[in-house]
Amino acid sequence: MGIRLGLEAKLYHNTADFTGTMEEMKNVKDLTLNIEAGEADATTRGNNGWRATLATLKDGSIEFEMVWDTADAAFNAVRTAFFSRSAIGFAILDGDIADTGTQGLKAAMAITNFSRNEPLEEAITVSVTAKPTYSDNPPEWMVV
């Protein structure tokens, strides 16, 4: 696969139980996928003066921006998920979902931020943050 450009990456949405078809969200501008793990201190006297850290629970989120387009089905799905406090399924991939080797995080997520931006000389946009939520489908790193 090699090096990828951000413009080759794709964000897909679906129902939270992933029973429908994954739909590409073409109205997305910049996106950041945050993945990190908590830490547990496992330092002992036998560590020769060095701290020892163990990775614990993983945490993830996505932050992205969309043009405020009320005719866009993906925009409406995200807006509805926010205002109804319902989960929405996302696949945050480094390429097309049909291409072998494409990979990324797949998770049912809660929309925790839906902020409208109204710059004077730009299109109105919405900044979105989504985080994994309680679901029968736990987050997974998928590889096509």
Side-chain angles (χ1 to χ4, degrees):
M1 183 177 292
I3 296 173
R4 293 288 189 129
L5 298 175
L7 61 89
E8 297 173 306
K10 310 262 185 193
L11 177 62
Y12 294 88
H13 76 96
N14 197 333
T15 58
D17 61 4
F18 295 99
T19 57
T21 303
M22 297 297 286
E23 299 289 335
E24 183 182 352
M25 298 176 63
K26 295 184 178 186
N27 181 14
V28 172
K29 297 177 78 156
D30 294 337
L31 181 145
T32 301
L33 170 60
N34 302 299
I35 302 174
E36 58 187 63
E39 298 179 1
D41 185 2
T43 306
T44 65
R45 293 177 180 167
N47 245 39
N48 201 25
W50 288 85
R51 266 190 209 286
T53 303
L54 300 173
T56 61
L57 296 174
K58 291 183 242 4
D59 193 11
S61 68
I62 55 173
E63 299 168 1
F64 60 93
E65 190 171 70
M66 300 177 79
V67 172
W68 187 275
D69 181 357
T70 58
D72 177 42
F75 171 86
N76 289 322
V78 171
R79 182 183 60 192
T80 298
F82 176 75
F83 284 109
S84 67
R85 290 188 301 256
S86 58
I88 183 171
F90 285 114
I92 308 97
L93 304 177
D94 64 356
D96 193 284
I97 198 166
D99 294 347
T100 301
T102 292
Q103 58 183 293
L105 182 66
K106 176 182 169 186
M109 296 190 165
I111 305 299
T112 60
N113 181 41
F114 189 79
S115 299
R116 190 166 77 184
N117 308 304
E118 302 177 0
L120 193 58
E121 292 186 343
E122 305 282 335
I124 295 174
T125 60
V126 62
S127 296
V128 178
T129 302
K131 297 180 178 182
T133 190
Y134 182 81
S135 170
D136 289 336
N137 302 292
E140 67 174 304
W141 190 261
M142 65 177 281
V143 178
V144 179

